[in-house]
mmCIF file of all heavy atoms in Angstrom:
data_model
loop_
_atom_site.group_PDB
_atom_site.id
_atom_site.type_symbol
_atom_site.label_atom_id
_atom_site.label_comp_id
_atom_site.label_asym_id
_atom_site.label_seq_id
_atom_site.Cartn_x
_atom_site.Cartn_y
_atom_site.Cartn_z
ATOM 1 N N PHE A 1 -32.714 27.853 -42.118
ATOM 2 C CA PHE A 1 -32.812 26.378 -41.888
ATOM 3 C C PHE A 1 -31.429 25.715 -41.886
ATOM 4 O O PHE A 1 -31.201 24.748 -41.134
ATOM 5 C CB PHE A 1 -33.639 25.730 -43.020
ATOM 6 C CG PHE A 1 -35.082 26.204 -43.029
ATOM 7 C CD1 PHE A 1 -35.476 27.248 -43.851
ATOM 8 C CD2 PHE A 1 -36.037 25.564 -42.226
ATOM 9 C CE1 PHE A 1 -36.810 27.677 -43.853
ATOM 10 C CE2 PHE A 1 -37.359 25.987 -42.245
ATOM 11 C CZ PHE A 1 -37.757 27.047 -43.064
ATOM 12 N N VAL A 2 -30.533 26.212 -42.706
ATOM 13 C CA VAL A 2 -29.233 25.588 -42.890
ATOM 14 C C VAL A 2 -28.111 26.480 -42.350
ATOM 15 O O VAL A 2 -28.054 27.644 -42.698
ATOM 16 C CB VAL A 2 -28.972 25.307 -44.398
ATOM 17 C CG1 VAL A 2 -27.537 24.810 -44.630
ATOM 18 C CG2 VAL A 2 -29.976 24.237 -44.904
ATOM 19 N N TYR A 3 -27.271 25.914 -41.484
ATOM 20 C CA TYR A 3 -26.118 26.716 -40.996
ATOM 21 C C TYR A 3 -25.043 26.774 -42.061
ATOM 22 O O TYR A 3 -24.497 27.864 -42.366
ATOM 23 C CB TYR A 3 -25.568 26.109 -39.704
ATOM 24 C CG TYR A 3 -24.297 26.842 -39.250
ATOM 25 C CD1 TYR A 3 -24.400 28.144 -38.764
ATOM 26 C CD2 TYR A 3 -23.045 26.270 -39.368
ATOM 27 C CE1 TYR A 3 -23.250 28.866 -38.358
ATOM 28 C CE2 TYR A 3 -21.917 26.964 -38.985
ATOM 29 C CZ TYR A 3 -22.013 28.257 -38.482
ATOM 30 O OH TYR A 3 -20.899 28.986 -38.144
ATOM 31 N N CYS A 4 -24.734 25.647 -42.657
ATOM 32 C CA CYS A 4 -23.709 25.624 -43.721
ATOM 33 C C CYS A 4 -23.769 24.322 -44.496
ATOM 34 O O CYS A 4 -24.411 23.327 -44.059
ATOM 35 C CB CYS A 4 -22.286 25.795 -43.141
ATOM 36 S SG CYS A 4 -21.690 24.350 -42.225
ATOM 37 N N PHE A 5 -23.125 24.335 -45.658
ATOM 38 C CA PHE A 5 -22.791 23.120 -46.381
ATOM 39 C C PHE A 5 -21.318 22.836 -46.081
ATOM 40 O O PHE A 5 -20.529 23.804 -45.971
ATOM 41 C CB PHE A 5 -22.963 23.289 -47.899
ATOM 42 C CG PHE A 5 -24.400 23.611 -48.295
ATOM 43 C CD1 PHE A 5 -24.762 24.894 -48.655
ATOM 44 C CD2 PHE A 5 -25.385 22.612 -48.303
ATOM 45 C CE1 PHE A 5 -26.049 25.196 -49.030
ATOM 46 C CE2 PHE A 5 -26.673 22.893 -48.650
ATOM 47 C CZ PHE A 5 -27.038 24.190 -49.055
ATOM 48 N N TRP A 6 -20.959 21.584 -45.976
ATOM 49 C CA TRP A 6 -19.525 21.318 -45.694
ATOM 50 C C TRP A 6 -18.988 20.192 -46.568
ATOM 51 O O TRP A 6 -19.725 19.409 -47.103
ATOM 52 C CB TRP A 6 -19.300 21.003 -44.205
ATOM 53 C CG TRP A 6 -20.117 19.869 -43.672
ATOM 54 C CD1 TRP A 6 -21.303 19.960 -42.964
ATOM 55 C CD2 TRP A 6 -19.861 18.455 -43.715
ATOM 56 N NE1 TRP A 6 -21.783 18.692 -42.641
ATOM 57 C CE2 TRP A 6 -20.863 17.773 -43.067
ATOM 58 C CE3 TRP A 6 -18.789 17.679 -44.278
ATOM 59 C CZ2 TRP A 6 -20.911 16.373 -42.940
ATOM 60 C CZ3 TRP A 6 -18.804 16.329 -44.147
ATOM 61 C CH2 TRP A 6 -19.883 15.670 -43.496
ATOM 62 N N GLN A 7 -17.678 20.224 -46.733
ATOM 63 C CA GLN A 7 -16.980 19.189 -47.531
ATOM 64 C C GLN A 7 -15.732 18.757 -46.777
ATOM 65 O O GLN A 7 -14.971 19.595 -46.316
ATOM 66 C CB GLN A 7 -16.625 19.754 -48.918
ATOM 67 C CG GLN A 7 -15.871 18.760 -49.781
ATOM 68 C CD GLN A 7 -15.425 19.393 -51.121
ATOM 69 O OE1 GLN A 7 -14.939 20.535 -51.112
ATOM 70 N NE2 GLN A 7 -15.618 18.691 -52.207
ATOM 71 N N LEU A 8 -15.517 17.480 -46.707
ATOM 72 C CA LEU A 8 -14.296 16.906 -46.097
ATOM 73 C C LEU A 8 -13.729 15.922 -47.127
ATOM 74 O O LEU A 8 -14.372 14.923 -47.442
ATOM 75 C CB LEU A 8 -14.649 16.170 -44.831
ATOM 76 C CG LEU A 8 -13.467 15.562 -44.032
ATOM 77 C CD1 LEU A 8 -12.567 16.616 -43.412
ATOM 78 C CD2 LEU A 8 -13.995 14.601 -42.953
ATOM 79 N N LYS A 9 -12.547 16.255 -47.668
ATOM 80 C CA LYS A 9 -12.027 15.373 -48.732
ATOM 81 C C LYS A 9 -10.493 15.296 -48.671
ATOM 82 O O LYS A 9 -9.825 16.160 -48.083
ATOM 83 C CB LYS A 9 -12.432 15.852 -50.085
ATOM 84 C CG LYS A 9 -11.838 17.182 -50.515
ATOM 85 C CD LYS A 9 -12.124 17.490 -51.999
ATOM 86 C CE LYS A 9 -11.376 18.728 -52.449
ATOM 87 N NZ LYS A 9 -11.534 18.978 -53.876
ATOM 88 N N THR A 10 -9.984 14.212 -49.254
ATOM 89 C CA THR A 10 -8.518 14.046 -49.343
ATOM 90 C C THR A 10 -8.035 14.617 -50.635
ATOM 91 O O THR A 10 -8.707 14.521 -51.678
ATOM 92 C CB THR A 10 -8.158 12.546 -49.276
ATOM 93 O OG1 THR A 10 -9.053 11.817 -50.149
ATOM 94 C CG2 THR A 10 -8.259 11.986 -47.876
ATOM 95 N N LYS A 11 -6.838 15.243 -50.585
ATOM 96 C CA LYS A 11 -6.206 15.705 -51.820
ATOM 97 C C LYS A 11 -5.419 14.584 -52.507
ATOM 98 O O LYS A 11 -5.224 14.599 -53.702
ATOM 99 C CB LYS A 11 -5.264 16.870 -51.506
ATOM 100 C CG LYS A 11 -6.007 18.148 -51.081
ATOM 101 C CD LYS A 11 -5.093 19.349 -51.189
ATOM 102 C CE LYS A 11 -4.530 19.677 -49.830
ATOM 103 N NZ LYS A 11 -3.771 20.938 -49.796
ATOM 104 N N GLU A 12 -4.972 13.656 -51.705
ATOM 105 C CA GLU A 12 -4.324 12.420 -52.178
ATOM 106 C C GLU A 12 -4.513 11.340 -51.144
ATOM 107 O O GLU A 12 -4.820 11.640 -49.969
ATOM 108 C CB GLU A 12 -2.799 12.692 -52.441
ATOM 109 C CG GLU A 12 -2.058 13.203 -51.204
ATOM 110 C CD GLU A 12 -0.639 13.584 -51.510
ATOM 111 O OE1 GLU A 12 0.229 12.628 -51.408
ATOM 112 O OE2 GLU A 12 -0.371 14.719 -51.817
ATOM 113 N N PRO A 13 -4.379 10.055 -51.531
ATOM 114 C CA PRO A 13 -4.593 8.994 -50.555
ATOM 115 C C PRO A 13 -3.689 9.101 -49.337
ATOM 116 O O PRO A 13 -2.533 9.500 -49.454
ATOM 117 C CB PRO A 13 -4.341 7.726 -51.374
ATOM 118 C CG PRO A 13 -4.561 8.138 -52.821
ATOM 119 C CD PRO A 13 -4.113 9.566 -52.873
ATOM 120 N N LEU A 14 -4.227 8.767 -48.164
ATOM 121 C CA LEU A 14 -3.465 8.827 -46.926
ATOM 122 C C LEU A 14 -2.757 7.500 -46.685
ATOM 123 O O LEU A 14 -3.089 6.470 -47.296
ATOM 124 C CB LEU A 14 -4.443 9.109 -45.748
ATOM 125 C CG LEU A 14 -5.358 10.313 -45.902
ATOM 126 C CD1 LEU A 14 -6.349 10.378 -44.736
ATOM 127 C CD2 LEU A 14 -4.573 11.613 -45.999
ATOM 128 N N HIS A 15 -1.774 7.524 -45.794
ATOM 129 C CA HIS A 15 -1.035 6.287 -45.466
ATOM 130 C C HIS A 15 -1.843 5.370 -44.567
ATOM 131 O O HIS A 15 -1.702 4.152 -44.628
ATOM 132 C CB HIS A 15 0.284 6.637 -44.775
ATOM 133 C CG HIS A 15 1.248 7.362 -45.659
ATOM 134 N ND1 HIS A 15 1.663 6.857 -46.913
ATOM 135 C CD2 HIS A 15 1.892 8.566 -45.540
ATOM 136 C CE1 HIS A 15 2.478 7.693 -47.463
ATOM 137 N NE2 HIS A 15 2.612 8.767 -46.687
ATOM 138 N N LYS A 16 -2.729 5.964 -43.761
ATOM 139 C CA LYS A 16 -3.551 5.119 -42.887
ATOM 140 C C LYS A 16 -4.932 5.739 -42.803
ATOM 141 O O LYS A 16 -5.127 6.933 -43.094
ATOM 142 C CB LYS A 16 -2.944 5.011 -41.489
ATOM 143 C CG LYS A 16 -2.693 6.354 -40.770
ATOM 144 C CD LYS A 16 -2.048 6.114 -39.426
ATOM 145 C CE LYS A 16 -1.855 7.435 -38.747
ATOM 146 N NZ LYS A 16 -1.225 7.290 -37.360
ATOM 147 N N PRO A 17 -5.962 4.961 -42.430
ATOM 148 C CA PRO A 17 -7.333 5.503 -42.373
ATOM 149 C C PRO A 17 -7.447 6.699 -41.441
ATOM 150 O O PRO A 17 -6.824 6.749 -40.343
ATOM 151 C CB PRO A 17 -8.152 4.325 -41.828
ATOM 152 C CG PRO A 17 -7.345 3.110 -42.164
ATOM 153 C CD PRO A 17 -5.931 3.524 -42.082
ATOM 154 N N PHE A 18 -8.219 7.684 -41.861
ATOM 155 C CA PHE A 18 -8.363 8.921 -41.092
ATOM 156 C C PHE A 18 -9.521 8.804 -40.070
ATOM 157 O O PHE A 18 -10.597 8.298 -40.396
ATOM 158 C CB PHE A 18 -8.692 10.088 -42.054
ATOM 159 C CG PHE A 18 -8.825 11.438 -41.379
ATOM 160 C CD1 PHE A 18 -7.719 12.045 -40.806
ATOM 161 C CD2 PHE A 18 -10.032 12.081 -41.333
ATOM 162 C CE1 PHE A 18 -7.833 13.294 -40.168
ATOM 163 C CE2 PHE A 18 -10.168 13.333 -40.685
ATOM 164 C CZ PHE A 18 -9.055 13.900 -40.122
ATOM 165 N N ILE A 19 -9.208 9.202 -38.859
ATOM 166 C CA ILE A 19 -10.248 9.204 -37.791
ATOM 167 C C ILE A 19 -10.787 10.654 -37.703
ATOM 168 O O ILE A 19 -10.042 11.568 -37.324
ATOM 169 C CB ILE A 19 -9.686 8.771 -36.441
ATOM 170 C CG1 ILE A 19 -8.943 7.424 -36.521
ATOM 171 C CG2 ILE A 19 -10.786 8.743 -35.383
ATOM 172 C CD1 ILE A 19 -9.800 6.263 -36.869
ATOM 173 N N TYR A 20 -12.015 10.812 -38.080
ATOM 174 C CA TYR A 20 -12.644 12.153 -38.033
ATOM 175 C C TYR A 20 -13.464 12.285 -36.775
ATOM 176 O O TYR A 20 -14.317 11.442 -36.486
ATOM 177 C CB TYR A 20 -13.530 12.360 -39.275
ATOM 178 C CG TYR A 20 -14.148 13.742 -39.362
ATOM 179 C CD1 TYR A 20 -13.345 14.879 -39.246
ATOM 180 C CD2 TYR A 20 -15.521 13.899 -39.528
ATOM 181 C CE1 TYR A 20 -13.909 16.142 -39.303
ATOM 182 C CE2 TYR A 20 -16.083 15.171 -39.631
ATOM 183 C CZ TYR A 20 -15.286 16.277 -39.501
ATOM 184 O OH TYR A 20 -15.832 17.536 -39.567
ATOM 185 N N ARG A 21 -13.211 13.356 -36.035
ATOM 186 C CA ARG A 21 -13.960 13.624 -34.810
ATOM 187 C C ARG A 21 -15.020 14.683 -35.047
ATOM 188 O O ARG A 21 -14.724 15.747 -35.547
ATOM 189 C CB ARG A 21 -13.014 14.069 -33.685
ATOM 190 C CG ARG A 21 -13.799 14.306 -32.362
ATOM 191 C CD ARG A 21 -12.919 14.984 -31.296
ATOM 192 N NE ARG A 21 -11.747 14.229 -31.027
ATOM 193 C CZ ARG A 21 -10.528 14.712 -31.062
ATOM 194 N NH1 ARG A 21 -10.301 15.941 -31.429
ATOM 195 N NH2 ARG A 21 -9.484 13.974 -30.785
ATOM 196 N N VAL A 22 -16.259 14.367 -34.668
ATOM 197 C CA VAL A 22 -17.353 15.323 -34.721
ATOM 198 C C VAL A 22 -17.692 15.696 -33.272
ATOM 199 O O VAL A 22 -17.948 14.830 -32.457
ATOM 200 C CB VAL A 22 -18.596 14.697 -35.379
ATOM 201 C CG1 VAL A 22 -19.773 15.679 -35.415
ATOM 202 C CG2 VAL A 22 -18.278 14.171 -36.788
ATOM 203 N N VAL A 23 -17.661 16.992 -32.989
ATOM 204 C CA VAL A 23 -17.978 17.461 -31.632
ATOM 205 C C VAL A 23 -19.488 17.766 -31.527
ATOM 206 O O VAL A 23 -20.174 17.952 -32.522
ATOM 207 C CB VAL A 23 -17.132 18.674 -31.219
ATOM 208 C CG1 VAL A 23 -15.644 18.391 -31.404
ATOM 209 C CG2 VAL A 23 -17.544 19.937 -31.962
ATOM 210 N N SER A 24 -19.999 17.792 -30.297
ATOM 211 C CA SER A 24 -21.411 18.103 -30.077
ATOM 212 C C SER A 24 -21.761 19.501 -30.530
ATOM 213 O O SER A 24 -21.114 20.457 -30.090
ATOM 214 C CB SER A 24 -21.786 17.946 -28.595
ATOM 215 O OG SER A 24 -21.497 16.632 -28.182
ATOM 216 N N ASP A 25 -22.735 19.632 -31.432
ATOM 217 C CA ASP A 25 -23.122 20.961 -31.898
ATOM 218 C C ASP A 25 -24.655 21.228 -31.926
ATOM 219 O O ASP A 25 -25.094 22.287 -32.349
ATOM 220 C CB ASP A 25 -22.526 21.236 -33.268
ATOM 221 C CG ASP A 25 -23.072 20.298 -34.364
ATOM 222 O OD1 ASP A 25 -23.981 19.542 -34.088
ATOM 223 O OD2 ASP A 25 -22.543 20.335 -35.483
ATOM 224 N N GLY A 26 -25.413 20.220 -31.467
ATOM 225 C CA GLY A 26 -26.858 20.458 -31.360
ATOM 226 C C GLY A 26 -27.614 20.332 -32.668
ATOM 227 O O GLY A 26 -28.819 20.584 -32.716
ATOM 228 N N CYS A 27 -26.912 19.954 -33.758
ATOM 229 C CA CYS A 27 -27.537 19.986 -35.082
ATOM 230 C C CYS A 27 -27.823 18.567 -35.598
ATOM 231 O O CYS A 27 -27.347 17.592 -35.075
ATOM 232 C CB CYS A 27 -26.561 20.694 -36.072
ATOM 233 S SG CYS A 27 -26.240 22.432 -35.638
ATOM 234 N N VAL A 28 -28.577 18.586 -36.683
ATOM 235 C CA VAL A 28 -28.806 17.324 -37.495
ATOM 236 C C VAL A 28 -28.130 17.559 -38.845
ATOM 237 O O VAL A 28 -28.229 18.646 -39.430
ATOM 238 C CB VAL A 28 -30.300 17.052 -37.711
ATOM 239 C CG1 VAL A 28 -30.502 15.878 -38.651
ATOM 240 C CG2 VAL A 28 -30.994 16.753 -36.336
ATOM 241 N N ASP A 29 -27.340 16.567 -39.333
ATOM 242 C CA ASP A 29 -26.645 16.651 -40.614
ATOM 243 C C ASP A 29 -27.135 15.574 -41.562
ATOM 244 O O ASP A 29 -27.301 14.406 -41.142
ATOM 245 C CB ASP A 29 -25.154 16.506 -40.451
ATOM 246 C CG ASP A 29 -24.477 17.716 -39.874
ATOM 247 O OD1 ASP A 29 -24.950 18.309 -38.839
ATOM 248 O OD2 ASP A 29 -23.456 18.167 -40.418
#
């Protein structure tokens, strides 16, 4: 049922907001 669990996190605050790109993968998250 599940392909993976994932985590996206900062190690320390960034200087500007991060733009995260999600590519087409056919899944529901």
Side-chain angles (χ1 to χ4, degrees):
F1 297 93
V2 172
Y3 175 70
C4 71
F5 299 104
W6 56 263
Q7 179 184 45
L8 181 71
K9 69 171 186 174
T10 45
K11 290 197 264 187
E12 56 184 273
L14 309 175
H15 294 304
K16 59 182 181 180
F18 182 67
I19 307 295
Y20 182 53
R21 182 190 302 126
V22 179
V23 306
S24 300
D25 63 9
C27 299
V28 173
D29 284 48

